[in-house]
Amino acid sequence: MKNWETWKINLIVLWFGQFLVNAGMTMITPFLSLYLAQDLGVKGDAVGMWAGLIFAANFLTSFIFQPLWGKLSDKYGRKIMLLRSSFGMALVIVLMGFAQNPIQLLLLRLLNGTISGFNPASIALVSGSTPKPRMGFAMGLMQSGSVAGTILGPLIGGAMADVMGFRPIFYVVGTLLFVASLLAMFLVKESFDRAEAAKVPQISVLEGFKELAKVQQLPALFGVTFLLQFAMISPMSLLPLYVQKLHNSAVDIAFWAGMVSAVTGISNMIASPLLGKLSDKVGAHRILTFALIGAALFLIPQAFVTSVWQLIAVRFLMGIFMGGLLPSVNALIRSYTPDGKESRAFGFNSSMLALGNMLGAVIGGFLSAYIGIEGLFIISGGFLLVNTVWVRLKLYHHKEPRWFR
C-alpha cells in the first residue's frame, strides 16, 4: 500500500509541476513583442527579429543540453536533476523581469533552455515509480498537465498583462515555480541506488545515443516525437491568416485564431489520460498506431476546409488522436530502454521535441512561401503516415515486452 500511495503522490505533485513549467514557458508568448517594444526599447522592424530569436533561443539550448542532463540523471538520480531544473528556472524567469535590453532577455532565454529538463526528469521519475499495469494512465495524465499548461499559459499571461503589466508576470511565474519545486523536494519520493548507478561505466552523450539507437524501436519512437511537434508548430504562425481567409472578415480574427489554436490542446488534454488508461488494457503499441493514423488523417483535411467551424471541428478531432501519441511514446520508451538508462532516453526524446519546435517554426515559415499553409498540412500528415509504417515495422518485427502483449 505504501508503494501505491507513493506513486500517486509523485504523479499528482509532478503533474502540478509540469503544468506550472509549461504555463510559465508560454505565458510570455502573447506579450513578448509588446514587452520588447514598450519595456526594452526595441523599435520598428527589429521587434519581430528579436521576438523570433528570443522565442527560439530556449528550444536551441534545450535541444543541445537535454541529453547531458539525462545522462547525469541516470548517474545521480532523477529527483536531484528535477530540482536543479525547477529551482534554476524559477530564478532565471524572475531575472527576465529585470531585463533592461533585448540582449539580456535573449541570454536569459538561452540560459533557461540550458538548465531546463524538468519535463523529462519528471517523466523518468514517474515511470520509475508507477506500477507497470498503470503506466499508460500515468503517462497520459502527465501529458495532460503539460498540455494544460501550454494552453492556459498564454491565456493567463495575456489576462495578467492587462491587469499588472509585463514585468510582474515574470515574478509571479518564478514564485509559482519555486513553490512547485518545494513541493517536489518534500513530497516526491525516489528509489534510486546511487552506489549501484556509479558502478555503470560512464560514456559520452554521443556514445550513449549510439548505444540506445541499437535498440531499433527507440529511434522510431524519437521520430514520432519530432514529427508531432513539427506538425503542430509549422503552421502556427500562419494560422491567423488562414483563419482570416476562411472567415472572410477582419472582425474578431484574434478570437477565432485563438480558438483554432486552443481547441487542439483542449481535446488533447481530455483524451490523454483516457487513451493512456486504455493503453494499459490493449497495449501502448496499439494505441500509438491508432493515434498516428488518426492524427495524420485529421491533419490533411485542414488543407481543404471551407469555413472556420470546419477547421475547429477537424482540429478538435486531431487533438483527440494526438492525445494518444506522447503518452504511448513515453510508455514504450520506458519499456524498451535498458535498465539504468531511462533518463538518458527521455532526455534524447525531449531533445527531439525541442528540435521539432525549433525546426517546425523555421522550416514551416520557409516552406509556406512556396506551398502555403495548405501544403504544410498535407506534408505534415504525410510524414506522420510514413512514420506510422516505420514504427509498425520496428515494434512488430522485434520482440515486445511481456507486459505490452
Side-chain angles (χ1 to χ4, degrees):
M1 185 63 184
K2 184 179 179 182
N3 290 335
W4 177 262
E5 292 175 346
T6 296
W7 79 263
K8 279 189 172 182
I9 292 170
N10 287 352
L11 183 59
I12 293 169
V13 172
L14 294 177
W15 182 96
F16 182 64
Q18 286 254 61
F19 174 83
L20 286 178
V21 166
N22 286 276
M25 293 302 97
T26 56
M27 269 187 188
I28 68 168
T29 304
F31 63 82
L32 178 58
S33 297
L34 294 173
Y35 184 50
L36 288 165
Q38 296 180 20
D39 288 48
L40 302 186
V42 182
K43 305 295 183 185
D45 295 338
V47 171
M49 181 195 73
W50 279 109
L53 286 173
I54 289 167
F55 181 77
N58 192 82
F59 298 122
L60 174 63
T61 48
S62 178
F63 165 69
I64 295 170
F65 284 93
Q66 289 300 326
L68 173 62
W69 298 130
K71 174 186 174 181
L72 294 176
S73 185
D74 283 331
K75 183 178 180 181
Y76 297 108
R78 286 89 193 189
K79 183 175 178 179
I80 190 69
M81 286 295 114
L82 186 147
L83 295 176
R84 170 204 58 77
S85 174
S86 57
F87 279 119
M89 286 195 296
L91 176 61
V92 170
I93 289 174
V94 168
L95 291 176
M96 288 181 189
F98 292 97
Q100 298 301 308
N101 57 59
I103 294 177
Q104 291 178 2
L105 186 59
L106 175 64
L107 292 175
L108 286 168
R109 286 279 290 181
L110 287 168
L111 178 59
N112 194 70
T114 301
I115 64 175
S116 67
F118 185 92
N119 288 351
S122 61
I123 292 292
L125 202 156
V126 166
S127 73
S129 63
T130 300
K132 287 183 177 180
R134 304 301 300 275
M135 187 68 70
F137 169 73
M139 293 296 101
L141 198 63
M142 290 295 285
Q143 170 70 1
S144 75
S146 175
V147 173
T150 303
I151 298 169
L152 296 177
L155 298 176
I156 297 169
M160 290 172 65
D162 289 336
V163 175
M164 62 176 64
F166 304 135
R167 291 187 186 274
I169 295 176
F170 295 102
Y171 312 146
V172 171
V173 172
T175 302
L176 289 175
L177 277 178
F178 183 76
V179 171
S181 304
L182 290 175
L183 288 174
M185 184 167 67
F186 291 114
L187 296 179
V188 169
K189 306 297 182 185
E190 179 187 25
S191 176
F192 185 83
D193 190 337
R194 189 173 294 184
E196 190 67 28
K199 297 177 184 178
V200 179
Q202 294 301 305
I203 57 177
S204 68
V205 171
L206 181 59
E207 287 299 317
F209 180 78
K210 289 179 180 178
E211 190 174 292
L212 288 173
K214 292 176 183 176
V215 183
Q216 295 186 33
Q217 295 90 342
L218 293 179
L221 293 169
F222 296 156
V224 174
T225 299
F226 170 78
L227 288 173
L228 171 62
Q229 291 306 116
F230 184 92
M232 288 293 291
I233 295 297
S234 59
M236 288 301 288
S237 63
L238 296 170
L239 267 181
L241 295 176
Y242 193 47
V243 169
Q244 186 175 17
K245 174 184 172 183
L246 294 173
H247 193 47
N248 201 26
S249 169
V251 179
D252 295 331
I253 289 301
F255 168 79
W256 288 110
M259 179 73 74
V260 166
S261 299
V263 71
T264 304
I266 292 170
S267 57
N268 186 317
M269 180 177 65
I270 295 170
S272 290
L274 299 177
L275 291 175
K277 191 173 184 179
L278 181 61
S279 76
D280 290 329
K281 296 180 180 179
V282 304
H285 59 295
R286 292 190 177 93
I287 294 297
L288 178 60
T289 303
F290 165 78
L292 272 170
I293 294 172
L297 293 181
F298 281 106
L299 189 60
I300 294 170
Q302 293 176 54
F304 305 103
V305 296
T306 57
S307 72
V308 176
W309 281 110
Q310 288 178 6
L311 184 61
I312 289 173
V314 173
R315 286 182 66 82
F316 181 86
L317 293 170
M318 179 185 73
I320 292 175
F321 289 96
M322 285 188 165
L325 289 178
L326 286 184
S328 299
V329 166
N330 286 329
L332 288 166
I333 286 174
R334 174 66 183 87
S335 69
Y336 285 115
T337 301
D339 289 342
K341 296 181 173 63
E342 296 90 349
S343 294
R344 189 173 304 193
F346 285 121
F348 282 120
N349 195 52
S350 185
S351 190
M352 288 298 102
L353 189 147
L355 185 64
N357 281 327
M358 188 169 61
L359 292 185
V362 175
I363 296 176
F366 174 77
L367 287 179
S368 65
Y370 299 96
I371 61 176
I373 191 172
E374 295 89 347
L376 289 177
F377 288 133
I378 294 170
I379 287 178
S380 297
F383 280 151
L384 286 181
L385 288 175
V386 172
N387 195 210
T388 305
V389 177
W390 184 21
V391 168
R392 291 281 295 186
L393 287 173
K394 295 304 179 186
L395 295 191
Y396 281 87
H397 287 195
H398 298 272
K399 188 177 179 181
E400 298 167 12
R402 290 192 303 273
W403 61 283
F404 274 129
R405 289 179 183 174

